[in-house]
């Protein structure tokens, strides 16, 4: 820790790697910032992923200034030399380029005083990292938020056989299809091969059959819709249709009960 920077060791848990993170609050005066640049040059020999972020109290070029006196200064040159000597580059920033304003109503000044820079090892580790410039609220500086989009891994659910599947139309055909598959190897290897194929077929059968709870809702809605229509009709054919819909609802209810009974593991 110095008067202008605090450097921390951080552990990136996902890959069990140590990082260096330096939080900067540079002096206003160009001469007083010189020790900060020297500190950065000394630390740049690290092979660890390293980033610096915060208020550098200086811009790199004139495009980072809007309003006020816009001319190249020795402070900008010193900042450029430090970044080049340390091998540091700005982390990709989303949206707003200016991170500070004097909030003056007449002829306001905007500058990019706050930034995040990092070495090559950091960019190799966080290839998709972005810096978001947050609203400044009551302050005259914007906060910076670094974000690395999570690389979500698709984790397959373990196969689980539900007992109600035995009564689903097509179940026995799928079992017969898997068991007729030609496999080579020992009896155990052939058995495992057929089971593996059967899992794929049963997963698809279960998917085509639909969600059991949704099936209950659909079956009940179909029955209730018919019974509403039956109130003002004496058509006897409705009774046959009603009987079939009642059977469909009872079957859906039995499947749902079987599923929840199996999941609850109640004997």
């Amino acid at each position: 820790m110095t008067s202008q920077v605090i450097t921390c060791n951080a552990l990136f848990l996902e890959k069990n790697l140590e990082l260096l993170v330096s939080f900067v609050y540079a002096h206003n005066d160009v001469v007083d910032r010189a020790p900060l640049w020297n500190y950065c040059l000394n630390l740049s020999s690290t092979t660890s992923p390293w980033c610096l972020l915060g208020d550098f109290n200086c811009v790199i070029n004139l495009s980072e200034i809007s309003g006020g006196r816009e001319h190249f200064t020795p402070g900008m040159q010193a900042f450029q030399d430090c970044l080049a000597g340390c091998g540091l580059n700005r982390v990709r920033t989303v949206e707003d380029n200016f991170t500070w304003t004097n909030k003056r109503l007449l002829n306001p000044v905007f500058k990019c005083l706050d930034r995040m820079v990092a070495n090559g090892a950091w960019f190799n580790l966080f290839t998709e990292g972005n810096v978001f410039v947050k609203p400044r609220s009551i302050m005259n500086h914007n906060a910076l938020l670094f974000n690395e989009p999570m690389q979500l891994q698709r984790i397959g659910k373990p196969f689980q056989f539900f007992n109600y599947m035995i009564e689903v139309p097509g179940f026995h055909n799928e079992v017969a299809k898997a068991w007729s598959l030609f496999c080579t190897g020992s009896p155990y290897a052939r058995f495992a091969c057929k089971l593996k194929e059967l899992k794929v077929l049963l997963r698809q059968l279960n998917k085509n059959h639909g969600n059991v709870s949704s099936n209950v809702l659909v079956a009940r809605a179909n029955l209730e819709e018919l019974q509403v229509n039956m109130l003002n009709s004496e058509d006897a054919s409705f009774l046959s249709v009603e009987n079939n819909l009642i059977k469909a609802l009872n079957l859906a209810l039995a499947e749902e009960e079987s599923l929840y009974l199996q999941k609850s593991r109640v004997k």
Side-chain angles (χ1 to χ4, degrees):
M1 181 173 63
T2 73
S3 62
Q4 300 183 82
V5 61
I6 298 175
T7 298
C8 305
N9 246 336
L11 181 63
F12 184 32
L13 295 176
E14 183 181 334
K15 297 188 177 181
N16 195 32
L17 287 176
E18 284 196 350
L19 317 174
L20 284 179
V21 183
S22 297
F23 299 94
V24 176
Y25 182 39
H27 282 302
N28 290 317
D29 188 82
V30 60
V31 175
D32 293 332
R33 284 197 295 270
L36 172 61
W37 307 146
N38 291 331
Y39 172 89
C40 293
L41 288 169
N42 291 333
L43 195 57
S44 64
S45 60
T46 180
T47 57
S48 299
W50 175 44
C51 76
L52 298 91
L53 68 162
D55 178 10
F56 288 84
N57 251 315
C58 184
V59 300
I60 292 179
N61 51 54
L62 296 180
S63 66
E64 297 181 345
I65 303 175
S66 176
R69 293 178 295 176
E70 299 182 12
H71 59 274
F72 195 79
T73 66
M76 296 183 193
Q77 186 63 58
F79 194 10
Q80 289 183 5
D81 293 342
C82 174
L83 296 179
C86 295
L88 297 170
N89 290 289
R90 188 176 185 182
V91 179
R92 183 169 54 246
T93 304
V94 179
E95 296 178 356
D96 196 1
N97 186 50
F98 301 111
T99 61
W100 172 87
T101 177
N102 59 2
K103 290 193 172 183
R104 197 164 53 198
L105 297 181
L106 295 176
N107 300 319
V109 177
F110 298 90
K111 295 183 179 182
C112 182
L113 299 182
D114 307 83
R115 70 184 68 235
M116 178 176 178
V117 296
N119 64 0
W122 183 278
F123 285 104
N124 291 336
L125 180 61
F126 299 105
T127 55
E128 301 296 327
N130 292 300
V131 172
F132 292 87
V133 180
K134 308 294 286 182
R136 66 174 60 93
S137 186
I138 61 173
M139 311 296 290
N140 57 358
H141 284 268
N142 295 75
L144 304 181
L145 173 65
F146 175 73
N147 179 62
E148 169 78 358
M150 292 180 63
Q151 302 298 319
L152 298 179
Q153 295 182 349
R154 184 177 179 87
I155 301 176
K157 294 182 179 179
F159 176 80
Q160 185 176 7
F161 177 76
F162 298 111
N163 296 332
Y164 74 83
M165 289 291 296
I166 296 175
E167 304 299 330
V168 173
F171 169 77
H172 293 91
N173 290 336
E174 298 299 330
V175 174
K177 187 188 301 183
W179 240 247
S180 65
L181 184 70
F182 177 75
C183 299
T184 60
S186 67
Y188 287 112
R190 296 198 300 272
F191 179 66
C193 175
K194 294 174 188 289
L195 275 183
K196 186 176 181 180
E197 177 64 18
L198 181 59
K199 288 180 183 180
V200 175
L201 297 174
L202 291 185
R203 275 200 176 103
Q204 187 59 45
L205 180 65
N206 190 36
K207 182 178 180 180
N208 295 338
H209 186 61
N211 181 279
V212 292
S213 295
S214 298
N215 292 345
V216 170
L217 296 177
V218 171
R220 181 177 284 119
N222 291 338
L223 177 61
E224 291 177 352
E225 181 182 1
L226 175 72
Q227 290 174 339
V228 169
N229 294 330
M230 289 175 63
L231 293 176
N232 300 317
S233 175
E234 297 179 358
D235 189 347
S237 64
F238 276 136
L239 295 176
S240 176
V241 177
E242 181 188 32
N243 187 51
N244 291 332
L245 291 179
I246 290 174
K247 289 180 179 178
L249 176 58
N250 285 332
L251 178 60
L253 287 168
E255 289 180 352
E256 184 182 47
E257 182 180 3
S258 173
L259 174 67
Y260 288 138
L261 179 65
Q262 187 175 349
K263 283 190 171 184
S264 68
R265 299 179 182 176
V266 172
K267 303 296 183 184

